[in-house]
Amino acid sequence: MRSLRAKRAELADQLHSAAIHLLRQLRKEDDASGLSAPRLSALSVVVFGGPVTLGQLARAEQVRPPTMTKIVTGLEKDGLVKRRPDAHDKRLTRIVATSKGQRILVAGRARRVKSLTEAVERLNDGELAHLDRGVQVFRKLIEATAQQTRPRNATT
């Protein structure tokens, strides 16, 4: 008989695998944007997270600032972001999305949601109820994971 701990570990492993497979499938929709995955990801942080400094963006994307500088420079050349002086600290520069950058991200999200919607439409009522509950639990897991990875003295 398996222990509760082993069952939880197996479920966590299955969830990890399922999440990766789902993201890989949905990432295929991003090909229509013409942008690389790193550029799309950085643009997403800027569009949905608001203006950020280069350092904040590098931390969010878990890359070094020189790597993020290259990504932002490419986005800037494509007209998807602009660098603006910080309103409160003129030493800082904020990366802000242009309307073109926002349109690309909104369209990409719409393509991914459409793809998911088509899959969800094939579920029966019982499966829909399970999925609804699963999404709620998944959100709790996201929050629990975020709390585990936050520095203990961090403020939000």
Side-chain angles (χ1 to χ4, degrees):
M1 178 180 247
R2 286 188 348 214
S3 69
L4 183 56
R5 184 179 181 102
K7 288 178 186 176
R8 287 178 172 156
E10 182 180 334
L11 186 58
D13 185 59
Q14 291 174 3
L15 178 60
H16 179 265
S17 179
I20 287 173
H21 282 87
L22 179 61
L23 288 174
R24 282 183 186 148
Q25 289 296 322
L26 293 176
R27 207 174 330 166
K28 292 175 184 174
E29 299 296 331
D30 291 337
D31 291 344
S33 75
L35 295 175
S36 68
R39 284 188 182 185
L40 271 175
S41 185
L43 182 59
S44 176
V45 172
V46 176
V47 168
F48 296 117
V52 293
T53 66
L54 190 76
Q56 290 169 328
L57 187 54
R59 280 190 298 280
E61 292 297 289
Q62 300 177 348
V63 298
R64 295 188 174 276
T67 301
M68 188 50 63
T69 297
K70 290 177 186 173
I71 292 171
V72 168
T73 298
L75 292 171
E76 200 171 24
K77 285 180 182 175
D78 290 342
L80 305 176
V81 300
K82 291 184 179 180
R83 298 175 201 240
R84 297 275 189 240
D86 184 271
H88 304 292
D89 186 344
K90 297 300 179 192
R91 297 171 297 171
L92 294 176
T93 299
R94 299 249 172 218
I95 312 301
V96 297
T98 63
S99 58
K100 179 180 176 183
Q102 291 172 350
R103 282 192 310 272
I104 286 176
L105 256 290
V106 168
R109 182 181 179 120
R111 284 189 303 273
R112 289 186 301 277
V113 169
K114 180 180 181 234
S115 179
L116 271 174
T117 300
E118 289 169 0
V120 169
E121 286 174 343
R122 294 190 291 267
L123 300 177
N124 65 39
D125 290 346
E127 291 168 327
L128 279 173
H130 284 301
L131 181 60
D132 183 43
R133 178 67 181 132
V135 169
Q136 293 171 37
V137 173
F138 193 68
R139 288 183 185 278
K140 286 177 73 173
L141 288 173
I142 292 167
E143 180 58 31
T145 302
Q147 288 176 359
Q148 290 171 350
T149 59
R150 276 189 205 126
R152 297 201 188 272
N153 60 357
T155 57
T156 53

